């Protein structure tokens, strides 16, 4: 039986080749070809919303597939941009929304927003990586968590950044062998415990991050070898789990339908 660590290493050990294989999958290649052929024709947010294939591709590329239905919410994110402190995306703890705006910054760049490489190849690269992680999760959810942590952790600057993302938090709790009840404790106490146990700066060191993920995958194998587990839950795709209460509140204050 292939272990979680072995499966993770098979993908991460030659990530370029792993991504290339994903990009060659017929469904991925087809959607990518359509995206690249058409995104440059999009000049406004209305244009973007008018093409469901482009919208869905970009949303998935940024790990926001579970939020695709909340079009009014997503429109507000894109309309306000990220150049002011009170911009909607900057009020959300989840960095995926600011990443989406960085890729498709209509607020800053207007009709030229989709002409930049970050809106074209940049989004394609993100889509390919997201698909790689999702595919890995279908076989072993621990591998998906490890790949996600490897990608996201270097951008984290404090324990609150880990706690704001349920997938990152789950990896962290596994690494530190903290009981499930820990997630229900006071957020400040959780942050303090994490920062006492982990030097967040180590996430910037590939060698140290690799050692952490070696430990995580080994512990994951021990803890989840026989237990049923929903691989999508911590990524926000199951019954709202993983979507924060402030996010749900914000969605509820907006009219659905994208306007």
């Amino acid at each position: 039986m292939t272990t979680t660590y072995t499966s993770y290493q098979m993908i991460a050990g030659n990530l370029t080749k792993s991504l290339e294989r994903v990009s060659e999958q017929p469904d991925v290649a087809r959607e990518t070809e359509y995206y690249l052929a058409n995104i440059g024709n999009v000049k406004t947010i209305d244009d973007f919303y008018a093409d469901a294939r482009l919208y869905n591709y970009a949303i998935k590329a940024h790990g926001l597939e579970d939020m695709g239905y909340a079009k009014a919410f997503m429109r507000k994110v894109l309309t306000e941009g990220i150049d002011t402190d009170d911009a909607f995306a900057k009020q959300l703890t989840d960095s995926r929304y600011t990443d989406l705006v960085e890729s498709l910054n209509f607020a800053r760049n207007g009709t030229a927003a989709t002409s930049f490489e970050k809106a074209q190849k940049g989004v394609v690269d993100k889509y390919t990586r997201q698909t790689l992680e999702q595919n890995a999760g279908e076989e072993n959810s621990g591998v998906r968590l490890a790949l996600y942590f490897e990608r996201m952790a270097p951008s984290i600057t404090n324990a609150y950044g880990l706690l704001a993302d349920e997938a990152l938090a789950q990896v962290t709790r596994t690494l530190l062998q903290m009981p499930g009840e820990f997630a229900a404790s006071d957020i400040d106490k959780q942050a303090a415990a994490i920062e006492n146990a982990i030097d967040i700066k180590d996430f910037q060191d590939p060698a140290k991050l690799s050692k952490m993920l070696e430990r995580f995958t080994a512990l994951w194998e021990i803890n989840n070898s026989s237990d049923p587990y929903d691989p999508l839950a911590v990524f926000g795709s199951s019954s709202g789990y993983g979507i924060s209460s402030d996010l749900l509140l914000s969605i509820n204050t907006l009219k659905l339908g994208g306007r």
Side-chain angles (χ1 to χ4, degrees):
M1 179 181 295
T2 305
T3 66
T4 303
Y5 175 70
T6 302
S7 297
Y8 166 71
Q9 284 298 321
M10 287 173 63
I11 296 172
N14 193 343
L15 189 58
T16 299
K17 188 65 177 178
S18 298
L19 289 167
E20 183 180 323
R21 284 195 294 268
V22 170
S23 69
E24 292 171 350
Q25 292 176 198
D27 57 334
V28 174
R30 181 173 59 252
E31 292 306 308
T32 296
E33 181 180 11
Y34 182 86
Y35 181 84
L36 290 174
N38 292 280
I39 191 62
N41 299 325
V42 170
K43 304 301 180 185
T44 66
I45 294 176
D46 285 336
D47 291 343
F48 179 56
Y49 273 80
D51 191 320
R53 286 179 74 178
L54 294 180
Y55 174 79
N56 291 334
Y57 189 98
I59 295 301
K60 177 178 177 178
H62 292 84
L64 293 165
E65 204 171 4
D66 57 301
M67 291 299 298
Y69 74 94
K71 292 187 176 180
F73 180 91
M74 301 303 294
R75 179 183 287 273
K76 187 172 177 63
V77 167
L78 288 168
T79 299
E80 295 190 12
I82 53 173
D83 291 339
T84 60
D85 290 338
D86 61 350
F88 186 49
K90 298 191 76 172
Q91 304 308 307
L92 303 171
T93 56
D94 193 329
S95 64
R96 293 177 298 175
Y97 297 99
T98 56
D99 289 345
L100 174 65
V101 177
E102 285 285 5
S103 296
L104 297 167
N105 202 328
F106 293 100
R108 181 189 302 161
N109 301 315
T111 58
T114 63
S115 66
F116 297 97
E117 183 176 10
K118 61 187 176 182
Q120 298 188 22
K121 184 179 183 299
V123 172
V124 169
D125 289 345
K126 291 176 184 293
Y127 184 92
T128 306
R129 177 64 188 247
Q130 284 288 339
T131 305
L132 171 68
E133 293 175 11
Q134 289 180 6
N135 290 350
E138 291 175 2
E139 299 294 329
N140 187 317
S141 51
V143 176
R144 181 179 182 182
L145 285 166
L147 289 167
Y148 181 78
F149 195 89
E150 177 190 49
R151 174 166 59 89
M152 298 295 292
S155 66
I156 299 299
T157 58
N158 56 57
Y160 293 99
L162 293 172
L163 293 169
D165 184 316
E166 179 55 29
L168 298 181
Q170 179 149 354
V171 173
T172 303
R173 290 194 295 268
T174 301
L175 278 169
L176 301 181
Q177 296 183 279
M178 292 175 167
E181 294 77 13
F182 178 73
S185 64
D186 178 80
I187 191 72
D188 293 326
K189 291 182 179 179
Q190 291 185 55
I194 290 170
E195 291 187 344
N196 283 335
I198 295 177
D199 186 345
I200 304 296
K201 293 179 182 178
D202 286 350
F203 296 157
Q204 307 291 326
D205 185 324
K208 291 180 179 179
L209 183 58
S210 178
K211 292 296 291 183
M212 286 185 196
L213 291 174
E214 179 178 350
R215 173 178 168 80
F216 164 75
T217 51
L219 289 169
W220 181 268
E221 186 75 20
I222 294 170
N223 296 337
N224 298 276
S225 59
S226 61
D227 294 336
Y229 178 75
D230 180 358
L232 298 180
V234 295
F235 296 94
S237 299
S238 298
S239 306
Y241 183 72
I243 301 177
S244 64
S245 57
D246 64 322
L247 182 52
L248 289 172
L249 179 61
S250 298
I251 295 171
N252 288 335
T253 64
L254 297 172
K255 181 180 178 182
L256 292 179
R259 295 190 182 279

